[in-house]
Amino acid sequence: MSLIGNRGKLPYVAPKHAVMGMTKTAALDNTTHHIRVNAICPAWVGTSIMARDFAKQPELEKIIRAVSPVGRMAAPEEIGDVIVFLSSASASYINSQALIVDAGVSLTINRM
């Protein structure tokens, strides 16, 4: 939601867009210190928070499977792998970017 809009979700989406502005500003402000600032924008990640949400809304898991092109949430380790990559020398030229890690959900979510 940090890079796309969604009807009726203004209170949820607005802070995510603000984080993207802060990411870009922090990236520019810190180039002289050789500090890169990027944002990771995941879709749903299989965490204890999601397990709690599934307990409250059992239909949510079915919806996520239907919306996700790969039919599942991300494993926490998959997001961790992205963080490791962005922290590595292999990503030394990546700065002020939003890396969408959603298996293509952002391409399909507003079509439902």
Side-chain angles (χ1 to χ4, degrees):
M1 301 284 172
S2 58
L3 300 174
I4 59 174
N6 199 340
R7 286 189 181 115
K9 301 283 187 186
L10 181 62
Y12 180 78
V13 173
K16 292 181 178 287
H17 283 265
V19 168
M20 293 313 309
M22 291 186 310
T23 298
K24 293 180 180 304
T25 301
L28 289 172
D29 288 349
N30 286 288
T31 56
T32 58
H33 305 292
H34 306 286
I35 296 172
R36 295 176 289 114
V37 181
N38 295 290
I40 298 169
C41 307
W44 302 279
V45 181
T47 64
S48 59
I49 293 171
M50 287 306 302
R52 186 186 66 216
D53 289 347
F54 292 156
K56 292 178 185 175
Q57 299 176 305
E59 70 282 0
L60 182 58
E61 190 169 8
K62 183 179 177 183
I63 292 167
I64 290 170
R65 287 185 182 167
V67 171
S68 174
V70 298
R72 65 176 179 83
M73 294 183 289
E77 297 80 9
E78 290 172 305
I79 305 305
D81 289 344
V82 174
I83 294 168
V84 169
F85 167 70
L86 286 175
S87 301
S88 75
S90 296
S92 64
Y93 206 65
I94 300 174
N95 194 25
S96 78
Q97 299 303 303
L99 187 54
I100 300 171
V101 185
D102 72 354
V105 169
S106 57
L107 299 173
T108 64
I109 192 96
N110 284 329
R111 295 179 189 199
M112 295 195 67

